[in-house]
Amino acid sequence: MQVDEPVLLPRLSRVAVCGGTHGNELSGVYLVREMLKTEKRKEDGEPASVLMVLSNPRAMQQCSRYVDTDLNRCFTHATLNGPVSEGAPYEIFRARELNALLGPKGSRAAVDLICDLHNTTANMGLSFIAYSDCDWICLHIFRYLQMPDTPMRFIHFDVSTKESYSLDSIGKHGFAMEIGPQPHGCVKSNIYTAMKEGVQHMQDWVRCFNSGCVFDGGPVDVFTMVKNLDYPRDGETRSITAAIHPRLQDRDFCLLHPGEPLFQAFSGETIKYKGNEPLYAFFINECAYYEKGIALSLARKKRVTVPSIRVQTDEEERASEQSFASEEEE
């Protein structure tokens, strides 16, 4: 039986772990602070340097999601490169500082991998959120991380590179590690521990990859976001008039069928899902999304076959760079 040759990918020499992009999502804040405490100089033979970043220090001081505007929506190409006035929101300036530190976005100088740490009030377990369903690095890390006591899913936001808006999009590879449920503004030990283990496993995988290990391919279930649903609202005041139905609450990644209960109106009646197809519900009743007009998100699930991969040797990397330079000249 013929065995497919592994896909060869460049070494991951620069990795960033970011916490506090939202200042009240405290697992990432405390984990990065702890990592900064125990940081040691890179030892001989250490194959990757890890940069720890506290992304939004002003919001962290206030224990708020943001100061002026959501930092994790400030990394589009237009926002990073367009004109900016002196009175622009703090997060616009902070996004540009982070782009200078970790990017520039879309350039060869950008860090190789960004893991941005987040919490959610939704019952989502540990989720990877990425902009590609064929980034073999992110998908292999996800496969490697499988933890028996923590439900894990891979979420794909089908958005172009220019329109990708979150901090992790600065890197050549990147994902958000989203863990919940945890109320914003507090930290739960089990959620913190799951995040810590996830980051440790990610670092272990990078070390193995850079040392030349071959990672076998296999299937990954990917949830591609289709749309968001808002709460029912009063036509005049725009106040919400219903809450997530009890039969749906806390059932993130359940398959929601047309005709099933979706909301329960404050007046008592059940409002049913009127979609044309069954879709998977997630970010159900996320606290931070009330202001964004999002009650929950819906996704389709598909199975992606991930190929085997290994790191390029120095010789293979040089040949790849020469080929890239030749293509640029043409």
Side-chain angles (χ1 to χ4, degrees):
M1 184 165 108
Q2 184 177 359
V3 178
D4 291 338
E5 286 295 314
V7 174
L8 307 183
L9 296 171
R11 183 178 303 273
L12 302 172
S13 299
R14 297 172 63 222
V15 176
V17 176
C18 304
T21 301
H22 293 135
N24 60 355
E25 296 179 9
L26 296 188
S27 295
V29 171
Y30 286 116
L31 179 55
V32 171
R33 282 177 176 168
E34 190 66 22
M35 293 171 72
L36 286 166
K37 280 184 196 175
T38 58
E39 184 181 20
K40 296 179 181 178
R41 287 195 167 187
K42 182 179 168 184
E43 299 176 0
D44 292 339
E46 184 71 21
S49 68
V50 178
L51 177 64
M52 275 77 80
V53 179
L54 291 168
S55 310
N56 196 337
R58 289 192 190 177
M60 287 165 45
Q61 288 173 353
Q62 299 177 8
C63 196
S64 60
R65 183 174 174 86
Y66 54 78
V67 177
D68 296 318
T69 193
D70 192 335
L71 176 61
N72 217 33
R73 301 297 183 271
C74 292
F75 295 94
T76 64
H77 185 270
T79 304
L80 291 173
N81 298 286
V84 59
S85 65
E86 187 176 332
Y90 159 71
E91 278 83 4
I92 298 293
F93 293 105
R94 182 57 179 157
R96 292 182 178 216
E97 292 173 356
L98 291 166
N99 189 46
L101 175 67
L102 303 174
K105 179 175 177 174
S107 75
R108 299 186 73 191
V111 296
D112 297 302
L113 175 65
I114 294 177
C115 171
D116 191 26
L117 304 174
H118 288 268
N119 290 120
T120 175
T121 61
N123 188 30
M124 287 175 53
L126 190 157
S127 299
F128 274 36
I129 304 176
Y131 291 107
S132 173
D133 59 358
C134 57
D135 184 323
W136 307 137
I137 293 291
C138 295
L139 285 159
H140 266 284
I141 293 172
F142 177 78
R143 279 171 55 81
Y144 185 83
L145 249 68
Q146 299 300 318
M147 296 187 287
D149 298 328
T150 305
M152 292 186 58
R153 285 95 174 187
F154 192 101
I155 300 169
H156 168 222
F157 285 177
D158 190 10
V159 177
S160 70
T161 301
K162 278 194 172 183
E163 294 302 315
S164 56
Y165 49 75
S166 54
L167 172 58
D168 54 278
S169 69
I170 292 176
K172 295 186 183 78
H173 308 275
F175 59 90
M177 185 185 292
E178 185 94 42
I179 307 185
Q182 177 173 285
H184 298 317
C186 77
V187 60
K188 294 168 66 177
S189 61
N190 62 318
I191 300 296
Y192 174 88
T193 300
M195 181 176 283
K196 183 177 181 179
E197 289 178 0
V199 171
Q200 289 173 340
H201 289 329
M202 181 272 292
Q203 291 177 287
D204 290 342
W205 186 92
V206 171
R207 280 190 283 268
C208 290
F209 174 76
N210 284 342
S211 69
C213 294
V214 176
F215 289 91
D216 294 333
V220 173
D221 287 334
V222 173
F223 294 83
T224 298
M225 207 261 283
V226 174
K227 60 182 176 180
N228 299 315
L229 296 183
D230 193 5
Y231 295 91
R233 294 182 181 270
D234 183 277
E236 293 182 2
T237 66
R238 303 307 301 158
S239 297
I240 67 171
T241 58
I244 295 292
H245 195 278
R247 284 181 54 184
L248 182 59
Q249 181 63 48
D250 298 327
R251 294 184 59 223
D252 292 77
F253 298 100
C254 72
L255 188 58
L256 180 63
H257 292 84
E260 290 186 335
L262 180 58
F263 299 108
Q264 184 164 292
F266 298 144
S267 55
E269 66 267 23
T270 293
I271 300 168
K272 296 181 179 180
Y273 172 52
K274 296 179 180 178
N276 297 320
E277 61 177 314
L279 292 170
Y280 292 87
F282 66 102
F283 274 130
I284 297 173
N285 203 14
E286 162 57 46
C287 168
Y289 289 175
Y290 276 72
E291 69 176 27
K292 299 182 187 299
I294 299 173
L296 70 159
S297 299
L298 295 172
R300 293 189 187 96
K301 184 169 74 169
K302 66 179 178 182
R303 180 153 289 187
V304 173
T305 301
V306 181
S308 301
I309 65 170
R310 72 164 171 83
V311 70
Q312 291 174 333
T313 64
D314 291 341
E315 185 176 339
E316 288 165 342
E317 193 163 355
R318 282 193 296 270
S320 176
E321 288 176 355
Q322 288 170 2
S323 173
F324 180 82
S326 299
E327 288 175 6
E328 281 192 326
E329 288 173 5
E330 292 175 3

